[in-house]
Amino acid sequence: DAKTTQPTSMDCAEGRAANLPCNHSTISGNEYVYWYRQIHSQGPQYIIHGLKNNETNEMASLIITEDRKSSTLILPHATLRDTAVYYCIVSGRGSTLGRLYFGRGTQLTVWP
Amino acid sequence: SAVISQKPSRDICQRGTSLTIQCQVDSQVTMMFWYRQQPGQSLTLIATANQGSEATYESGFVIDKFPISRPNLTFSTLTVSNMSPEDSSIYLCSVDAGALYGYTFGSGTRLTVV
């Protein structure tokens, strides 16, 4: 079962930063936070993941709170092509390695 | 990162028949994962397929309905057996693409059962 809570929908103006929150209050010490997005029934696209430190790559930044109970995905300059469903997933590295349990995600709409 | 090829990309099948979906990866991977996405829903993990061992199924999924093969480190198949309209979904496979890329997904097989 999904261990995360996300808002159902958000919107953002093109060119502005999109900040997508996620709550994962029951996360375990060895579990990572993954973010994926899915554009109109295509296969999910990996965005970023982290354990406890903030992470940044060419797509986004991931901010994880110190207690690891929540995180925020930041798309620094949203474009229309970023309109998608964004999934925040908690996944371990032990017996559940690789098993991703998707919640409902956040529908992000970027408007012109 | 790993590149996944899924076949077929879509199919329309008669109820009571079976369909086998293929997942080919361009590199050797230890684990492959199969997911289902029902219309308007999120993804649900069906099973984990390791080479050389029986697949591990999630709660609510059984081997008789979704038999899986994993003959080598680059290939897996998922069969949807004795199909009913409720099996109409997108079926996706996923692999570990490495620490930098997370888990990569195929483009999916869109199955319609009539």
Side-chain angles (χ1 to χ4, degrees), chain A residues 85-97:
Chain A
V85 178
Y86 287 77
Y87 296 101
C88 168
I89 303 163
V90 166
S91 182
R93 303 299 265 181
S95 62
T96 59
L97 179 64

Side-chain angles (χ1 to χ4, degrees), chain B residues 52-70:
Chain B
S53 63
E54 294 283 335
T56 302
Y57 289 83
E58 297 294 312
S59 176
F61 297 95
V62 295
I63 187 171
D64 290 346
K65 176 67 176 177
F66 298 101
I68 288 171
S69 77
R70 183 77 202 275

